[in-house]
Amino acid sequence: VKMHANRFVYHADGTLTARAAQMTGRRYSLGLQWEGAVTSCKGRAVALSLDQAREAVQQNNLTEPFHQDWRLPSLTELARIASSSLNPDGVRISQENFPGTPASFFWTNSAKASGSYEPLWYAMSFGQEGLRAVPADSKLFVRLVRYGN
């Protein structure tokens, strides 16, 4: 376990815990694989529809050996790990903390109040785009979180 400026506690399994929020998250996006020995990722992050993302979360919870309570983050939780400005690599998140994160939109579990017949969900970009409300059939990236450490 390694501490980073008292903000995060790093775990050898490719997760970190945000101390203030008592939330644990994967350091890598869905589709990537953690390479613990070198603290980086291999593979390619995958963009999924909301239904596909929820199914992937369920599959993860069936196969995860230690925790079965992974989920999509809320908008607030996702915003907590974002940087306030773009890094030199064009991403609004620390690539040291979250290697391989695309500068693109990620799903949240936060629904947007909408008068339309089609529900909208908040998505947050780790690029320059910021925040957007999108329909469930949009293809976005996925980051998993859970409560506790």
mmCIF file of all heavy atoms in Angstrom, residues 6-39:
data_model
loop_
_atom_site.group_PDB
_atom_site.id
_atom_site.type_symbol
_atom_site.label_atom_id
_atom_site.label_comp_id
_atom_site.label_asym_id
_atom_site.label_seq_id
_atom_site.Cartn_x
_atom_site.Cartn_y
_atom_site.Cartn_z
ATOM 1 N N ASN A 6 -1.397 12.121 0.617
ATOM 2 C CA ASN A 6 -2.532 11.935 1.529
ATOM 3 C C ASN A 6 -3.893 11.935 0.845
ATOM 4 O O ASN A 6 -4.907 11.860 1.511
ATOM 5 C CB ASN A 6 -2.522 12.974 2.647
ATOM 6 C CG ASN A 6 -1.425 12.703 3.633
ATOM 7 O OD1 ASN A 6 -1.009 11.566 3.795
ATOM 8 N ND2 ASN A 6 -0.955 13.740 4.293
ATOM 9 N N ARG A 7 -3.951 12.048 -0.477
ATOM 10 C CA ARG A 7 -5.236 12.057 -1.168
ATOM 11 C C ARG A 7 -5.712 10.640 -1.489
ATOM 12 O O ARG A 7 -6.890 10.339 -1.385
ATOM 13 C CB ARG A 7 -5.123 12.880 -2.448
ATOM 14 C CG ARG A 7 -6.433 13.031 -3.150
ATOM 15 C CD ARG A 7 -6.352 14.007 -4.287
ATOM 16 N NE ARG A 7 -7.611 13.991 -5.004
ATOM 17 C CZ ARG A 7 -7.768 14.355 -6.241
ATOM 18 N NH1 ARG A 7 -6.733 14.804 -6.917
ATOM 19 N NH2 ARG A 7 -8.924 14.297 -6.817
ATOM 20 N N PHE A 8 -4.790 9.789 -1.924
ATOM 21 C CA PHE A 8 -5.134 8.427 -2.315
ATOM 22 C C PHE A 8 -4.286 7.418 -1.555
ATOM 23 O O PHE A 8 -3.149 7.686 -1.213
ATOM 24 C CB PHE A 8 -4.867 8.206 -3.808
ATOM 25 C CG PHE A 8 -5.685 9.071 -4.723
ATOM 26 C CD1 PHE A 8 -5.070 10.000 -5.544
ATOM 27 C CD2 PHE A 8 -7.064 8.948 -4.778
ATOM 28 C CE1 PHE A 8 -5.817 10.788 -6.405
ATOM 29 C CE2 PHE A 8 -7.815 9.733 -5.627
ATOM 30 C CZ PHE A 8 -7.194 10.655 -6.447
ATOM 31 N N VAL A 9 -4.855 6.255 -1.351
ATOM 32 C CA VAL A 9 -4.110 5.096 -0.884
ATOM 33 C C VAL A 9 -4.092 4.117 -2.046
ATOM 34 O O VAL A 9 -5.148 3.747 -2.573
ATOM 35 C CB VAL A 9 -4.785 4.444 0.344
ATOM 36 C CG1 VAL A 9 -4.024 3.202 0.764
ATOM 37 C CG2 VAL A 9 -4.901 5.427 1.490
ATOM 38 N N TYR A 10 -2.894 3.722 -2.489
ATOM 39 C CA TYR A 10 -2.736 2.807 -3.613
ATOM 40 C C TYR A 10 -2.711 1.372 -3.111
ATOM 41 O O TYR A 10 -2.104 1.082 -2.093
ATOM 42 C CB TYR A 10 -1.427 3.077 -4.357
ATOM 43 C CG TYR A 10 -1.417 4.403 -5.053
ATOM 44 C CD1 TYR A 10 -0.956 5.534 -4.408
ATOM 45 C CD2 TYR A 10 -1.870 4.515 -6.355
ATOM 46 C CE1 TYR A 10 -0.947 6.761 -5.043
ATOM 47 C CE2 TYR A 10 -1.864 5.728 -7.003
ATOM 48 C CZ TYR A 10 -1.404 6.852 -6.344
ATOM 49 O OH TYR A 10 -1.405 8.065 -6.982
ATOM 50 N N HIS A 11 -3.342 0.483 -3.872
ATOM 51 C CA HIS A 11 -3.354 -0.937 -3.544
ATOM 52 C C HIS A 11 -2.695 -1.704 -4.687
ATOM 53 O O HIS A 11 -2.790 -1.304 -5.849
ATOM 54 C CB HIS A 11 -4.789 -1.424 -3.327
ATOM 55 C CG HIS A 11 -5.541 -0.595 -2.334
ATOM 56 N ND1 HIS A 11 -5.333 -0.680 -0.974
ATOM 57 C CD2 HIS A 11 -6.494 0.361 -2.512
ATOM 58 C CE1 HIS A 11 -6.130 0.181 -0.358
ATOM 59 N NE2 HIS A 11 -6.839 0.822 -1.265
ATOM 60 N N ALA A 12 -2.073 -2.826 -4.371
ATOM 61 C CA ALA A 12 -1.308 -3.601 -5.356
ATOM 62 C C ALA A 12 -2.178 -4.187 -6.467
ATOM 63 O O ALA A 12 -1.669 -4.557 -7.516
ATOM 64 C CB ALA A 12 -0.542 -4.718 -4.656
ATOM 65 N N ASP A 13 -3.487 -4.257 -6.258
ATOM 66 C CA ASP A 13 -4.372 -4.871 -7.252
ATOM 67 C C ASP A 13 -4.827 -3.908 -8.346
ATOM 68 O O ASP A 13 -5.714 -4.238 -9.128
ATOM 69 C CB ASP A 13 -5.587 -5.487 -6.563
ATOM 70 C CG ASP A 13 -6.455 -4.465 -5.855
ATOM 71 O OD1 ASP A 13 -6.090 -3.261 -5.810
ATOM 72 O OD2 ASP A 13 -7.514 -4.861 -5.345
ATOM 73 N N GLY A 14 -4.240 -2.702 -8.411
ATOM 74 C CA GLY A 14 -4.623 -1.745 -9.446
ATOM 75 C C GLY A 14 -5.798 -0.873 -9.059
ATOM 76 O O GLY A 14 -6.444 -0.277 -9.912
ATOM 77 N N THR A 15 -6.073 -0.789 -7.772
ATOM 78 C CA THR A 15 -7.123 0.101 -7.284
ATOM 79 C C THR A 15 -6.493 1.159 -6.402
ATOM 80 O O THR A 15 -5.344 1.043 -5.977
ATOM 81 C CB THR A 15 -8.193 -0.667 -6.472
ATOM 82 O OG1 THR A 15 -7.584 -1.243 -5.311
ATOM 83 C CG2 THR A 15 -8.856 -1.742 -7.306
ATOM 84 N N LEU A 16 -7.252 2.202 -6.135
ATOM 85 C CA LEU A 16 -6.839 3.197 -5.152
ATOM 86 C C LEU A 16 -8.072 3.655 -4.393
ATOM 87 O O LEU A 16 -9.195 3.567 -4.884
ATOM 88 C CB LEU A 16 -6.096 4.370 -5.782
ATOM 89 C CG LEU A 16 -6.712 5.197 -6.905
ATOM 90 C CD1 LEU A 16 -7.811 6.100 -6.407
ATOM 91 C CD2 LEU A 16 -5.639 6.019 -7.559
ATOM 92 N N THR A 17 -7.848 4.110 -3.179
ATOM 93 C CA THR A 17 -8.928 4.603 -2.343
ATOM 94 C C THR A 17 -8.762 6.101 -2.166
ATOM 95 O O THR A 17 -7.692 6.568 -1.777
ATOM 96 C CB THR A 17 -8.930 3.909 -0.969
ATOM 97 O OG1 THR A 17 -9.082 2.505 -1.174
ATOM 98 C CG2 THR A 17 -10.058 4.420 -0.088
ATOM 99 N N ALA A 18 -9.826 6.843 -2.479
ATOM 100 C CA ALA A 18 -9.851 8.280 -2.223
ATOM 101 C C ALA A 18 -10.171 8.442 -0.744
ATOM 102 O O ALA A 18 -11.268 8.092 -0.289
ATOM 103 C CB ALA A 18 -10.902 8.952 -3.090
ATOM 104 N N ARG A 19 -9.221 8.930 -0.001
ATOM 105 C CA ARG A 19 -9.349 8.973 1.459
ATOM 106 C C ARG A 19 -10.552 9.781 1.926
ATOM 107 O O ARG A 19 -11.305 9.335 2.778
ATOM 108 C CB ARG A 19 -8.069 9.532 2.072
ATOM 109 C CG ARG A 19 -6.884 8.625 1.875
ATOM 110 C CD ARG A 19 -5.582 9.298 2.263
ATOM 111 N NE ARG A 19 -5.539 9.734 3.641
ATOM 112 C CZ ARG A 19 -5.151 8.983 4.650
ATOM 113 N NH1 ARG A 19 -4.773 7.752 4.441
ATOM 114 N NH2 ARG A 19 -5.130 9.467 5.876
ATOM 115 N N ALA A 20 -10.749 10.958 1.378
ATOM 116 C CA ALA A 20 -11.832 11.837 1.841
ATOM 117 C C ALA A 20 -13.206 11.235 1.554
ATOM 118 O O ALA A 20 -14.125 11.365 2.356
ATOM 119 C CB ALA A 20 -11.716 13.209 1.189
ATOM 120 N N ALA A 21 -13.340 10.569 0.434
ATOM 121 C CA ALA A 21 -14.641 10.030 0.026
ATOM 122 C C ALA A 21 -14.860 8.592 0.484
ATOM 123 O O ALA A 21 -15.969 8.077 0.379
ATOM 124 C CB ALA A 21 -14.771 10.101 -1.495
ATOM 125 N N GLN A 22 -13.803 7.927 0.974
ATOM 126 C CA GLN A 22 -13.878 6.510 1.310
ATOM 127 C C GLN A 22 -14.468 5.704 0.148
ATOM 128 O O GLN A 22 -15.366 4.884 0.312
ATOM 129 C CB GLN A 22 -14.655 6.290 2.602
ATOM 130 C CG GLN A 22 -13.848 6.605 3.840
ATOM 131 C CD GLN A 22 -12.558 5.771 3.902
ATOM 132 O OE1 GLN A 22 -12.592 4.562 3.944
ATOM 133 N NE2 GLN A 22 -11.412 6.440 3.892
ATOM 134 N N MET A 23 -13.971 6.002 -1.051
ATOM 135 C CA MET A 23 -14.394 5.333 -2.262
ATOM 136 C C MET A 23 -13.160 4.707 -2.897
ATOM 137 O O MET A 23 -12.110 5.331 -2.979
ATOM 138 C CB MET A 23 -15.008 6.338 -3.234
ATOM 139 C CG MET A 23 -15.361 5.747 -4.578
ATOM 140 S SD MET A 23 -15.734 7.027 -5.789
ATOM 141 C CE MET A 23 -14.084 7.613 -6.175
ATOM 142 N N THR A 24 -13.292 3.459 -3.318
ATOM 143 C CA THR A 24 -12.218 2.776 -4.014
ATOM 144 C C THR A 24 -12.574 2.689 -5.485
ATOM 145 O O THR A 24 -13.728 2.428 -5.832
ATOM 146 C CB THR A 24 -11.999 1.368 -3.433
ATOM 147 O OG1 THR A 24 -11.585 1.506 -2.073
ATOM 148 C CG2 THR A 24 -10.950 0.589 -4.200
ATOM 149 N N GLY A 25 -11.596 2.939 -6.334
ATOM 150 C CA GLY A 25 -11.829 2.873 -7.769
ATOM 151 C C GLY A 25 -10.715 2.127 -8.456
ATOM 152 O O GLY A 25 -9.592 2.043 -7.952
ATOM 153 N N ARG A 26 -11.044 1.585 -9.600
ATOM 154 C CA ARG A 26 -10.025 0.971 -10.430
ATOM 155 C C ARG A 26 -9.188 2.076 -11.050
ATOM 156 O O ARG A 26 -9.711 3.102 -11.479
ATOM 157 C CB ARG A 26 -10.666 0.148 -11.537
ATOM 158 C CG ARG A 26 -11.402 -1.063 -11.024
ATOM 159 C CD ARG A 26 -10.676 -2.330 -11.451
ATOM 160 N NE ARG A 26 -11.249 -3.498 -10.841
ATOM 161 C CZ ARG A 26 -12.097 -4.306 -11.444
ATOM 162 N NH1 ARG A 26 -12.484 -4.059 -12.678
ATOM 163 N NH2 ARG A 26 -12.559 -5.366 -10.827
ATOM 164 N N ARG A 27 -7.893 1.877 -11.109
ATOM 165 C CA ARG A 27 -7.005 2.867 -11.708
ATOM 166 C C ARG A 27 -7.051 2.800 -13.225
ATOM 167 O O ARG A 27 -6.508 3.668 -13.894
ATOM 168 C CB ARG A 27 -5.569 2.648 -11.215
ATOM 169 C CG ARG A 27 -5.431 2.918 -9.723
ATOM 170 C CD ARG A 27 -4.036 2.670 -9.240
ATOM 171 N NE ARG A 27 -3.104 3.619 -9.845
ATOM 172 C CZ ARG A 27 -1.792 3.562 -9.677
ATOM 173 N NH1 ARG A 27 -1.254 2.605 -8.955
ATOM 174 N NH2 ARG A 27 -1.020 4.451 -10.248
ATOM 175 N N TYR A 28 -7.685 1.803 -13.767
ATOM 176 C CA TYR A 28 -7.716 1.584 -15.210
ATOM 177 C C TYR A 28 -9.164 1.492 -15.694
ATOM 178 O O TYR A 28 -10.063 1.106 -14.961
ATOM 179 C CB TYR A 28 -6.954 0.314 -15.566
ATOM 180 C CG TYR A 28 -7.390 -0.899 -14.774
ATOM 181 C CD1 TYR A 28 -8.322 -1.787 -15.303
ATOM 182 C CD2 TYR A 28 -6.880 -1.152 -13.505
ATOM 183 C CE1 TYR A 28 -8.738 -2.891 -14.576
ATOM 184 C CE2 TYR A 28 -7.288 -2.254 -12.780
ATOM 185 C CZ TYR A 28 -8.210 -3.116 -13.314
ATOM 186 O OH TYR A 28 -8.628 -4.201 -12.599
ATOM 187 N N SER A 29 -9.365 1.858 -16.944
ATOM 188 C CA SER A 29 -10.688 1.824 -17.560
ATOM 189 C C SER A 29 -11.040 0.395 -17.956
ATOM 190 O O SER A 29 -10.149 -0.430 -18.195
ATOM 191 C CB SER A 29 -10.705 2.709 -18.809
ATOM 192 O OG SER A 29 -10.260 4.006 -18.500
ATOM 193 N N LEU A 30 -12.336 0.122 -18.061
ATOM 194 C CA LEU A 30 -12.790 -1.199 -18.482
ATOM 195 C C LEU A 30 -12.216 -1.524 -19.858
ATOM 196 O O LEU A 30 -12.245 -0.684 -20.757
ATOM 197 C CB LEU A 30 -14.316 -1.223 -18.517
ATOM 198 C CG LEU A 30 -14.951 -2.600 -18.550
ATOM 199 C CD1 LEU A 30 -14.710 -3.333 -17.235
ATOM 200 C CD2 LEU A 30 -16.439 -2.477 -18.800
ATOM 201 N N GLY A 31 -11.678 -2.718 -19.994
ATOM 202 C CA GLY A 31 -11.027 -3.127 -21.234
ATOM 203 C C GLY A 31 -9.517 -3.192 -21.081
ATOM 204 O O GLY A 31 -8.850 -3.946 -21.782
ATOM 205 N N LEU A 32 -8.976 -2.402 -20.177
ATOM 206 C CA LEU A 32 -7.544 -2.445 -19.892
ATOM 207 C C LEU A 32 -7.274 -3.496 -18.824
ATOM 208 O O LEU A 32 -8.154 -3.842 -18.044
ATOM 209 C CB LEU A 32 -7.049 -1.084 -19.403
ATOM 210 C CG LEU A 32 -7.128 0.068 -20.401
ATOM 211 C CD1 LEU A 32 -6.768 1.377 -19.724
ATOM 212 C CD2 LEU A 32 -6.212 -0.189 -21.577
ATOM 213 N N GLN A 33 -6.058 -3.979 -18.778
ATOM 214 C CA GLN A 33 -5.647 -4.934 -17.754
ATOM 215 C C GLN A 33 -4.498 -4.331 -16.966
ATOM 216 O O GLN A 33 -3.565 -3.770 -17.544
ATOM 217 C CB GLN A 33 -5.218 -6.254 -18.383
ATOM 218 C CG GLN A 33 -6.358 -6.966 -19.064
ATOM 219 C CD GLN A 33 -5.883 -8.244 -19.738
ATOM 220 O OE1 GLN A 33 -4.725 -8.380 -20.103
ATOM 221 N NE2 GLN A 33 -6.795 -9.170 -19.906
ATOM 222 N N TRP A 34 -4.566 -4.470 -15.659
ATOM 223 C CA TRP A 34 -3.547 -3.923 -14.778
ATOM 224 C C TRP A 34 -2.301 -4.787 -14.817
ATOM 225 O O TRP A 34 -2.374 -6.009 -14.743
ATOM 226 C CB TRP A 34 -4.081 -3.850 -13.354
ATOM 227 C CG TRP A 34 -3.135 -3.206 -12.404
ATOM 228 C CD1 TRP A 34 -2.435 -3.806 -11.411
ATOM 229 C CD2 TRP A 34 -2.781 -1.824 -12.374
ATOM 230 N NE1 TRP A 34 -1.659 -2.888 -10.758
ATOM 231 C CE2 TRP A 34 -1.849 -1.653 -11.328
ATOM 232 C CE3 TRP A 34 -3.144 -0.717 -13.131
ATOM 233 C CZ2 TRP A 34 -1.297 -0.425 -11.016
ATOM 234 C CZ3 TRP A 34 -2.586 0.509 -12.808
ATOM 235 C CH2 TRP A 34 -1.683 0.651 -11.768
ATOM 236 N N GLU A 35 -1.159 -4.118 -14.942
ATOM 237 C CA GLU A 35 0.136 -4.784 -14.865
ATOM 238 C C GLU A 35 0.815 -4.292 -13.602
ATOM 239 O O GLU A 35 1.572 -3.331 -13.627
ATOM 240 C CB GLU A 35 0.980 -4.485 -16.100
ATOM 241 C CG GLU A 35 0.431 -5.108 -17.364
ATOM 242 C CD GLU A 35 1.398 -4.954 -18.523
ATOM 243 O OE1 GLU A 35 1.847 -3.828 -18.788
ATOM 244 O OE2 GLU A 35 1.682 -5.977 -19.151
ATOM 245 N N GLY A 36 0.505 -4.933 -12.491
ATOM 246 C CA GLY A 36 0.943 -4.481 -11.182
ATOM 247 C C GLY A 36 2.432 -4.342 -11.016
ATOM 248 O O GLY A 36 2.901 -3.455 -10.323
ATOM 249 N N ALA A 37 3.191 -5.218 -11.662
ATOM 250 C CA ALA A 37 4.637 -5.169 -11.485
ATOM 251 C C ALA A 37 5.232 -3.875 -12.029
ATOM 252 O O ALA A 37 6.251 -3.402 -11.547
ATOM 253 C CB ALA A 37 5.286 -6.366 -12.166
ATOM 254 N N VAL A 38 4.580 -3.288 -13.033
ATOM 255 C CA VAL A 38 5.113 -2.062 -13.620
ATOM 256 C C VAL A 38 4.159 -0.882 -13.428
ATOM 257 O O VAL A 38 4.370 0.181 -13.972
ATOM 258 C CB VAL A 38 5.424 -2.241 -15.128
ATOM 259 C CG1 VAL A 38 6.561 -3.209 -15.319
ATOM 260 C CG2 VAL A 38 4.201 -2.703 -15.894
ATOM 261 N N THR A 39 3.122 -1.075 -12.645
ATOM 262 C CA THR A 39 2.103 -0.061 -12.357
ATOM 263 C C THR A 39 1.621 0.673 -13.611
ATOM 264 O O THR A 39 1.629 1.894 -13.692
ATOM 265 C CB THR A 39 2.565 0.958 -11.292
ATOM 266 O OG1 THR A 39 3.697 1.669 -11.774
ATOM 267 C CG2 THR A 39 2.850 0.291 -9.970
#
